[in-house]
Amino acid sequence: MDMSGSMISDEKLNRIKAILQKIILNVHVNKDKLAVIGFKGKDSEVIIPNTKRPNSFLNKLDSITVGGTTPMAAGLKKGLEVLKKDLNKEEYIPMLMILSDGVTNVSLERSNINSNVNKISKSLKYNNSSGKSKEYKSNKMIISNPIKDALTVGEEIAKYNIHTVIVNFEKEKNKGRSINKELVFITGGNFYDLEILGDKLSKDIFEVEGVDTNSMSFGSFKSDLSDMVLEKIIDYERDKI
């Protein structure tokens, strides 16, 4: 789950909570297992540990926060680690669902180093005769290649033949290169855009005279439609595997 600050915080926070509630209830009804990994800032975090009783973590959703940069590679890597453990047990068939706009800007090196970056920078500064220039080049190396890192983890996911589903739940904005479709190609997965699907469904339903599709009430209803679409996506992908 992408929990970075690429949307207005309150709007995205409420959207994430609604999506996770829908997923948790769907998993509970179908007696699956669920782990939820969130990524934001410089690293990923476990929101819900791998469990057969995800509904017992519903109250944990109240403590979720959003904001910061997008360490997508770190989130993918953590998700892969969780799924690999279940692969060895052969009790469940793993499925990786990535909920993100696909715009990543934090590399694995930066995620792994985190608080040590300043220490490394100071060491380079005092131990190198070229001074600031070398420090700048080294720091650039540390934070580079977030896209390459995410796609490399995607290749690792493909090696384990993990069924992958990518869902964009954010409104389309020109804020950088999205790698969602590249990840789909690499992993052999499927891609869905909830906004586009929700728009299409709402227009099909309300293609009648006198309905204000720009009203707040209609916007709320369209969001409900998107949540319904997400549940259908989960059911469809479950049937496929």
Side-chain angles (χ1 to χ4, degrees), residues 3 22 27 32 37 53 64 75 105 110 122-123 127 137 144 160 168:
M3 298 168 61
K22 185 68 69 175
V27 167
D32 294 327
I37 311 296
R53 298 179 178 83
I64 286 176
N105 51 24
R110 187 177 175 190
K122 288 178 181 178
S123 175
N127 294 322
K137 290 178 182 177
S144 65
Y160 286 92
N168 179 22

Side-chain angles (χ1 to χ4, degrees), residues 143-203:
I143 64 173
S144 65
N145 293 324
I147 291 175
K148 180 181 176 182
D149 285 352
L151 296 178
T152 299
V153 180
E155 291 172 357
E156 189 73 9
I157 292 167
K159 285 180 186 177
Y160 286 92
N161 199 29
I162 292 173
H163 188 78
T164 304
V165 182
I166 302 179
V167 179
N168 179 22
F169 66 98
E170 299 192 37
K171 295 176 181 177
E172 195 66 36
K173 293 180 180 179
N174 295 321
K175 55 190 175 185
R177 170 183 164 188
S178 173
I179 62 168
N180 275 343
K181 293 183 181 179
E182 292 168 81
L183 273 174
V184 163
F185 179 78
I186 289 171
T187 61
N190 292 317
F191 173 74
Y192 301 92
D193 191 305
L194 284 190
E195 282 292 320
I196 292 175
L197 291 172
D199 281 343
K200 188 177 187 318
L201 185 58
S202 60
K203 286 176 183 176

Side-chain angles (χ1 to χ4, degrees), residues 199 202-203 205-222:
D199 281 343
S202 60
K203 286 176 183 176
I205 293 173
F206 290 100
E207 203 171 44
V208 293
E209 202 172 323
V211 176
D212 181 8
T213 57
N214 295 314
S215 68
M216 289 183 65
S217 58
F218 181 82
S220 176
F221 183 76
K222 192 174 75 171

Side-chain angles (χ1 to χ4, degrees), residues 45-134:
E45 61 177 305
V46 177
I47 299 173
I48 297 177
N50 201 8
T51 177
K52 297 178 182 178
R53 298 179 178 83
N55 57 316
S56 63
F57 289 87
L58 277 169
N59 61 340
K60 193 174 180 181
L61 300 185
D62 293 332
S63 61
I64 286 176
T65 60
V66 300
T69 48
T70 313
M72 192 172 189
L76 295 177
K77 187 177 179 182
K78 180 72 73 176
L80 177 59
E81 289 171 0
V82 171
L83 290 176
K84 281 164 66 175
K85 292 177 182 177
D86 263 351
L87 272 175
N88 296 332
K89 295 176 184 177
E90 296 185 350
E91 184 182 358
Y92 289 85
I93 301 173
M95 179 169 75
L96 177 64
M97 176 171 280
I98 304 163
L99 293 119
S100 175
D101 61 3
V103 181
T104 179
N105 51 24
V106 179
S107 69
L108 277 176
E109 280 187 297
R110 187 177 175 190
S111 294
N112 293 335
I113 292 172
N114 279 339
S115 60
N116 293 324
V117 170
N118 290 332
K119 294 179 182 178
I120 293 171
S121 298
K122 288 178 181 178
S123 175
L124 289 168
K125 181 177 180 180
Y126 291 114
N127 294 322
N128 193 20
S129 59
S130 58
K132 189 174 181 180
S133 176
K134 181 68 176 180

